[in-house]
Amino acid sequence: MKSCIDLANELNVSKQTVFNNAKKLEIELTKQDNTLYVSSADDVEAIKNRILNNKAKSLNVDVSELINNDSSSKQDNDTQDVSNNNNKIELLRQMIDDKNKQIQSLQDDKQDLTSLLKQQQQLLHNQQSLQLQSNDKIKALELELQEVKEDTSKADNVQDTNKIDNFYRDLREDKQESNSTTNKKGGLLSRFFK
């Protein structure tokens, strides 16, 4: 069993030509999976002979020459197919090489990005460590400043107390001096006015 498409490709004609010749020869074609098939090998040969005879008539050549031409064209087609396959293989190799270069480039980029990420993480870690150290120093300075303020406040209170004490002492001393001077003076005056 041979499909009409395969037979058409073999004879370098359209599948409609195969279908029309089979119809004229009253050969029934069987249909399977939307493909028409010639059921027997004798029917295939009959269709081939009819198509080749028709080609020979249209070209005014003998059928044997046409068969030889078909054979040589098949060989040419085979050579061309091999050449096309070699071109396809070369193209595929080139595509694989390009893909390998892309993969290598992406791997290099990934490695560079990983290295850059590690550097950034290290810098962030260093920055955070410095920030913690700065915060600790600021707290220590704030505590020291608070202690100085408290000491200054206590010293001011002591100085204020000393000043007040000195003021009252001076005042008492002045009063005593004035009393003693007044007593001496009063004694003198009182001596006169007695």
Side-chain angles (χ1 to χ4, degrees):
M1 191 183 279
K2 193 167 197 169
S3 73
C4 289
I5 295 172
D6 291 340
L7 189 57
N9 288 339
E10 185 179 323
L11 298 172
N12 291 325
V13 294
S14 68
K15 67 178 183 175
Q16 187 65 41
T17 302
V18 173
F19 177 75
N20 289 338
N21 283 288
K23 190 175 180 183
K24 287 183 182 176
L25 292 171
E26 296 179 359
I27 297 173
E28 282 195 36
L29 303 174
T30 57
K31 188 174 189 177
Q32 291 179 352
D33 298 327
N34 291 329
T35 304
L36 291 174
Y37 290 94
V38 180
S39 55
S40 71
D42 293 336
D43 292 340
V44 170
E45 285 301 316
I47 292 171
K48 277 184 181 181
N49 289 335
R50 180 170 171 81
I51 292 172
L52 290 175
N53 284 332
N54 288 339
K55 276 186 175 182
K57 284 179 189 176
S58 66
L59 297 173
N60 290 328
V61 290
D62 189 23
V63 174
S64 61
E65 287 180 29
L66 192 57
I67 291 174
N68 288 339
N69 285 343
D70 275 347
S71 297
S72 66
S73 70
K74 282 183 187 178
Q75 289 175 350
D76 290 343
N77 285 342
D78 289 344
T79 305
Q80 189 176 8
D81 287 344
V82 168
S83 175
N84 285 341
N85 286 343
N86 287 338
N87 289 340
K88 287 179 184 177
I89 289 171
E90 187 59 36
L91 179 66
L92 290 173
R93 283 184 180 152
Q94 189 176 20
M95 288 173 64
I96 289 171
D97 288 343
D98 289 344
K99 294 297 178 187
N100 286 338
K101 287 177 185 175
Q102 287 177 349
I103 289 170
Q104 185 61 42
S105 174
L106 289 173
Q107 286 175 340
D108 291 345
D109 289 348
K110 178 184 173 185
Q111 194 173 21
D112 291 344
L113 289 174
T114 303
S115 173
L116 183 62
L117 179 62
K118 285 180 181 178
Q119 287 176 349
Q120 288 178 343
Q121 287 174 338
Q122 185 62 38
L123 288 172
L124 180 63
H125 175 73
N126 291 345
Q127 180 185 6
Q128 289 173 342
S129 296
L130 288 173
Q131 186 66 36
L132 286 174
Q133 289 175 357
S134 297
N135 288 344
D136 290 344
K137 286 183 180 181
I138 289 171
K139 284 180 184 177
L141 289 173
E142 285 176 347
L143 286 175
E144 189 177 329
L145 180 63
Q146 185 67 28
E147 289 173 2
V148 167
K149 282 182 181 179
E150 288 174 2
D151 290 346
T152 306
S153 173
K154 287 178 185 177
D156 286 346
N157 284 341
V158 169
Q159 281 182 344
D160 286 345
T161 305
N162 287 341
K163 284 182 182 178
I164 292 171
D165 288 342
N166 288 339
F167 175 74
Y168 283 119
R169 189 176 321 122
D170 289 343
L171 208 76
R172 275 186 240 125
E173 288 174 1
D174 286 345
K175 187 176 181 184
Q176 286 174 358
E177 283 179 18
S178 113
N179 281 342
S180 60
T181 320
T182 312
N183 286 340
K184 291 179 184 178
K185 288 183 182 176
L188 183 63
L189 287 177
S190 59
R191 287 185 210 156
F192 291 118
F193 294 108
K194 282 190 183 180

